[in-house]
Amino acid sequence: MVLKIVLILSLLVLVAVATLYVLIFVKGKKRVRIAFDKEYEKIRAKDYPPAFPNGWFSLGESSMVKKGEVVEVDAFGQKLAVFRGQNGEVGVLDVYCPHLNANLADGCVKGNNLVCPFHAWEFKTNGKCAHIPYADKVPHNAETKGWTVKEDWGLILVWYHSEGEAPSWTTDGCVPEVADYKFHLKTSDVLRIHLQDFAENGADYAHFAYVHDLLTIPWAHHIVDVKHTLNIQFGEGEKKHTAWFTDQADLVWKKSGKLIPHAGGHATVTYYGPGFLVFRFNTEIGKMLLVKTFTPLGPLKVKMEDYVYAPKSTWKIAVKYLLGEASAQFHDDIAIWEKKNFAARPVLVKGDGPIMKMRAWYSQFYSQKGDWAKHAHAAVAVLPVNEN
Ligand code: FES
Ligand SMILES: [Fe+2]
């Protein structure tokens, strides 16, 4: 009889654990996909700042192009030829050959140069033509644009500047953990958003209570609440391209409002220009590092890739859970951003968070001048620093 009860109880526990596993890890929280109307998208994009702010951006993993290979990549509303010479150096060129505009990504690598598939002109990583097989001289204007490239964190990074200016900051030393942490996985998605909306998220304190107050553990929201304590700081001088956002998320009992010990987590999010965010999660169940890259493909079209790392001591299931929680929160944000447009003069109240300060900070990434920057600077000038 006792054995029977033990067996039945074990079975029930097993079913409960399996159900929770499916609900948390398999079912997860899927992102809502919307069918987009191209004409409406144009209207929605109209008031946003320029689609391509200045900064370092990822084109993808270094492993996408091996020695002697060339691939075609979309970024900044155009196509790029990304190749790797026999010396291991990566070159990124505007894809159309200056001769008769063949697609250089269909060519091949010879030594350290890229050879056009049409008439075999050879191009160096700086975009200059090195050799024309059937001519003695190479004209001085035989060149395509060679992008400023560097490889960091296992990614191919390029510097984009709308006026063609040289890099004003470096990605060196931004994510030292990458050397020691274990790489877990990569995710990739294309979002119909403007990059700036993602940045404004950290300064928009009021939305946390309405968008991010639930856990992915089923039914948990009937018993517990998540309390966020938020702060954001903006870099100055040599660090002016960075900003730091912190979120202490504590769990409290719904009924009493009392803190549940050892249940919360802390996240520090560092913005490195408009193209990268690095999330550092520190929780009771382990640490996790998320390198989030944004590559603008066109107006309201952004490729977002996540590279997930954790210290070797963090359990895989803990990483899975933390990533599930983080992704669920992003999905809730994205559902809103993909249907909003941009107000240069939003109506803000006390408690909204330093949204206009964030806009003023972000405006350094645009060479162009527009309402989005003018109103942000004006608003920051008249409000105390820690207010709206
Ligand atoms: S089009 Fe490239 S060499 Fe002629
Ligand atoms: Fe959010």
Side-chain angles (χ1 to χ4, degrees):
M1 184 61 187
V2 176
L3 191 69
K4 218 175 172 183
I5 293 172
V6 170
L7 267 174
I8 291 171
L9 281 177
S10 308
L11 204 69
L12 284 174
V13 169
L14 211 69
V15 170
V17 169
T19 311
L20 271 177
Y21 186 86
V22 169
L23 286 171
I24 297 171
F25 296 116
V26 181
K27 197 164 164 272
K29 182 151 192 176
K30 298 275 181 287
R31 185 158 92 72
V32 179
R33 304 272 163 182
I34 310 163
F36 284 92
D37 174 338
K38 273 192 181 162
E39 288 311 307
Y40 177 67
E41 284 289 276
K42 277 186 207 152
I43 298 168
R44 198 166 77 87
K46 191 172 59 73
D47 296 323
Y48 269 105
F52 311 132
N54 304 326
W56 286 102
F57 294 90
S58 165
L59 294 183
E61 289 166 278
S62 288
S63 58
M64 77 175 163
V65 60
K66 302 195 176 46
K67 271 185 191 173
E69 287 182 353
V70 55
V71 295
E72 187 182 279
V73 171
D74 286 311
F76 318 110
Q78 65 180 99
K79 295 202 179 288
L80 303 169
V82 181
F83 72 103
R84 193 182 294 277
Q86 295 303 339
N87 60 0
E89 205 182 302
V90 172
V92 177
L93 305 182
D94 273 6
V95 90
Y96 298 115
C97 177
H99 180 215
L100 283 166
N101 287 46
N103 187 317
L104 290 170
D106 289 336
C108 62
V109 176
K110 187 173 156 198
N112 301 323
N113 296 338
L114 182 60
V115 183
C116 180
F118 208 179
H119 312 90
W121 290 24
E122 283 181 33
F123 295 89
K124 297 197 275 191
T125 50
N126 64 4
K128 290 198 186 313
C129 181
H131 179 63
I132 299 171
Y134 53 89
D136 299 338
K137 281 190 184 160
V138 175
H140 73 277
N141 57 349
E143 67 175 300
T144 183
K145 180 182 169 181
W147 289 64
T148 304
V149 193
K150 76 184 289 234
E151 290 185 86
D152 219 344
W153 326 324
L155 306 177
I156 296 174
L157 313 177
V158 288
W159 171 257
Y160 173 87
H161 194 282
S162 59
E163 311 291 307
E165 286 177 20
S168 53
W169 55 277
T170 171
T171 58
D172 288 348
C174 289
V175 201
E177 297 96 326
V178 166
D180 302 324
Y181 280 20
K182 182 177 176 237
F183 173 70
H184 279 259
L185 69 142
K186 172 198 174 181
T187 63
S188 186
D189 204 349
V190 174
L191 315 175
R192 305 301 312 212
I193 66 166
H194 190 283
L195 275 179
Q196 189 170 314
D197 276 330
F198 211 111
E200 286 187 15
N201 178 70
D204 176 4
Y205 296 172
H207 88 289
F208 279 82
Y210 308 101
V211 177
H212 302 308
D213 62 338
L214 302 180
L215 293 168
T216 55
I217 300 171
W219 311 291
H221 62 279
H222 293 299
I223 320 164
V224 296
D225 274 333
V226 184
K227 224 180 106 212
H228 295 274
T229 309
L230 309 157
N231 185 32
I232 193 160
Q233 286 175 292
F234 301 95
E236 284 168 9
E238 274 191 2
K239 296 264 179 215
K240 73 175 174 134
H241 60 280
T242 60
W244 303 267
F245 163 71
T246 56
D247 176 9
Q248 173 64 42
D250 289 311
L251 298 192
V252 295
W253 295 113
K254 206 169 184 106
K255 221 168 175 188
S256 64
K258 279 200 179 128
L259 189 78
I260 306 173
H262 310 296
H266 187 272
T268 305
V269 186
T270 313
Y271 297 71
Y272 298 100
F276 300 98
L277 285 180
V278 178
F279 290 73
R280 292 174 170 94
F281 295 94
N282 193 353
T283 74
E284 292 289 335
I285 59 169
K287 286 184 180 179
M288 184 177 81
L289 179 85
L290 188 69
V291 178
K292 198 176 260 301
T293 72
F294 301 107
T295 313
L297 305 179
L300 299 186
K301 195 173 178 192
V302 173
K303 185 172 76 177
M304 177 179 82
E305 297 197 320
D306 287 354
Y307 298 86
V308 182
Y309 297 83
K312 292 185 182 93
S313 57
T314 305
W315 290 8
K316 200 174 170 185
I317 197 157
V319 174
K320 217 171 173 189
Y321 173 71
L322 291 174
L323 185 65
E325 283 291 351
S327 304
Q329 302 208 359
F330 295 137
H331 291 172
D332 289 336
D333 279 320
I334 291 162
I336 289 170
W337 299 333
E338 286 196 321
K339 296 184 90 173
K340 73 184 282 295
N341 68 0
F342 185 81
R345 291 171 183 259
V347 180
L348 296 172
V349 295
K350 196 171 165 60
D352 263 327
I355 292 170
M356 297 311 264
K357 258 204 105 183
M358 168 53 92
R359 287 190 178 183
W361 172 79
Y362 204 90
S363 67
Q364 69 179 296
F365 305 122
Y366 302 117
S367 304
Q368 307 89 330
K369 299 284 165 253
D371 274 4
W372 64 85
K374 204 166 61 199
H375 298 311
H377 285 290
V380 172
V382 296
L383 287 168
V385 164
N386 60 351
E387 294 280 325
N388 306 313

